[in-house]
Amino acid sequence: MLPTPPALALEFMAEAVRLSIANVASGQGGPFGAVVVQAGRIIARGQNRVLADRDPTAHAEVVAIRLACQVLGHFQLTDCELYTSCEPCPMCLGAIYWARPSHIYYANTQHQAAAIGFDDHFIYQELARALPDRHLPTIHLPHPQAPEAFALWQAKTDKTEY
């Protein structure tokens, strides 16, 4: 899929930015907005809803991805583009990669976000550390039945790969 022409891309980004500005006034969460675009039209909008939903995963990108998947009736956005008012945080970036849009466009940078208190640098640092060196104890706790789910999945002949 080819990227959207610059003039149209700016219109979609303007909507993501408008959503971010409106979200500050709403008090629902941080100053972040996102839209998912398919075939030249917005199919889903998302605003940061961390405070409103009491959900630390309710970032604008995740909200927009969830809504777009409902609209499309599918768990991937392979023929879609994501426009977000800010460079995605590590969590959102992971969700975006799983959703598989064709392109990501962002306005503000992670450094601009850090300057106003939304600093994800510590997460990037933690991901680079070995498990025993992380600040949040991450402990491997094997269970004898845990591999059963993987074996069942591997043997399943009617599974949907993703």
Side-chain angles (χ1 to χ4, degrees), residues 55-127:
D55 177 356
T57 69
H59 290 197
E61 299 91 335
V62 173
V63 171
I65 288 168
R66 288 174 180 164
L67 291 172
C69 288
Q70 289 176 4
V71 167
L72 297 175
H74 199 269
F75 58 88
Q76 291 181 342
L77 305 175
T78 52
D79 59 348
C80 297
E81 298 173 326
L82 178 73
Y83 293 79
T84 180
S85 64
C86 187
E87 186 175 356
C89 75
M91 177 190 71
C92 290
L93 192 57
I96 292 164
Y97 269 91
W98 279 113
R100 293 178 175 86
S102 65
H103 295 81
I104 306 167
Y105 299 87
Y106 67 93
N108 292 316
T109 69
Q110 64 177 284
H111 305 293
Q112 290 171 296
I116 63 163
F118 293 93
D119 191 355
D120 299 322
H121 186 69
F122 77 97
I123 298 173
Y124 289 108
Q125 288 178 320
E126 285 290 293
L127 291 173

